[in-house]
Amino acid sequence: MQDKDILRVRDKWSGKVKYVTPLLKGLQYTFTNLLSKHKTFQYPEQKRPVSQRWRGLHRLERDSQGQLLCVACGLCAAVCPAQCIQVVPYEPENGERYPEDFKIDELRCIFCGFCQEVCPRRAITLSQVYDYVDYHRDDFQFSFAKLDKPEQLSFHYQRSLLQKILG
């Protein structure tokens, strides 16, 4: 009998023992989560709560008299990395300045929050609305009407008659 004919069991299994420990740890993690309480929300009936710092759809703020706080300085449009904000300033003869047109392309926006941080009058903020849906690209061009109350644009789920009957 020669040395090459001897089958050494220890040498054969020594490298494969390294795989058993991670396998057992993975199985332990799986079974631990299997028996724990689930954190599932029944979206769209239940919406998950978001943090106060959440960056959702944009909002143009107004003062107590209902006037826009924005003075069309253009800082938000200049700092925006996605170039999704367009501000057209208007200055009548009385010296006040305000935006004649203010548009935000929500499809291009990356919701970085730079526009909110750079605004000297805190005229633009990001709301907590995260579930705005629509069918056409043009509907994601936000102007004054949509920027006043973004909460009304939130998705509202309505159950069908069949779903109401079935429970």
Side-chain angles (χ1 to χ4, degrees):
M1 192 163 175
Q2 294 181 356
D3 209 22
K4 66 178 180 177
D5 296 332
I6 298 173
L7 180 63
R8 302 200 187 282
V9 177
R10 283 200 134 177
D11 293 340
K12 188 175 183 181
W13 285 97
S14 63
K16 295 186 178 178
V17 173
K18 292 187 270 185
Y19 299 113
V20 174
T21 306
L23 175 69
L24 292 176
K25 285 182 181 179
L27 287 172
Q28 176 189 5
Y29 180 76
T30 301
F31 287 122
T32 302
N33 285 330
L34 183 68
L35 301 175
S36 68
K37 184 172 171 67
H38 298 287
K39 298 175 184 173
T40 304
F41 287 95
Q42 296 299 321
Y43 184 82
E45 290 95 0
Q46 297 175 350
K47 294 187 180 182
R48 71 179 174 89
V50 294
S51 141
Q52 291 296 323
R53 300 181 306 165
W54 179 265
R55 296 185 198 137
L57 296 179
H58 296 81
R59 172 189 294 120
L60 280 178
E61 297 292 337
R62 296 185 177 271
D63 61 6
S64 59
Q65 287 84 23
Q67 298 294 323
L68 277 177
L69 291 175
C70 181
V71 292
C73 62
L75 287 175
C76 56
V79 78
C80 182
Q83 298 296 313
C84 64
I85 301 175
Q86 297 173 4
V87 181
V88 178
Y90 178 71
E91 190 169 342
E93 288 133 14
N94 63 0
E96 293 182 16
R97 185 176 173 157
Y98 58 89
E100 183 178 12
D101 191 25
F102 195 100
K103 288 185 182 174
I104 298 179
D105 187 358
E106 294 290 342
L107 290 177
R108 290 188 67 186
C109 183
I110 59 173
F111 300 98
C112 62
F114 288 169
C115 56
Q116 179 178 356
E117 292 175 18
V118 78
C119 185
R121 305 225 19 217
R122 298 187 189 271
I124 187 168
T125 58
L126 296 172
S127 67
Q128 294 183 343
V129 178
Y130 62 89
D131 56 353
Y132 175 66
V133 292
D134 224 320
Y135 291 104
H136 303 288
R137 293 183 67 84
D138 296 337
D139 295 330
F140 288 93
Q141 300 288 328
F142 281 27
S143 60
F144 289 120
K146 287 185 178 180
L147 289 171
D148 275 343
K149 295 182 181 169
E151 286 79 18
Q152 69 187 3
L153 302 173
S154 183
F155 177 70
H156 299 290
Y157 177 72
Q158 295 178 359
R159 297 175 68 185
S160 67
L161 181 60
L162 181 63
Q163 289 174 331
K164 290 178 183 176
I165 292 171
L166 296 177

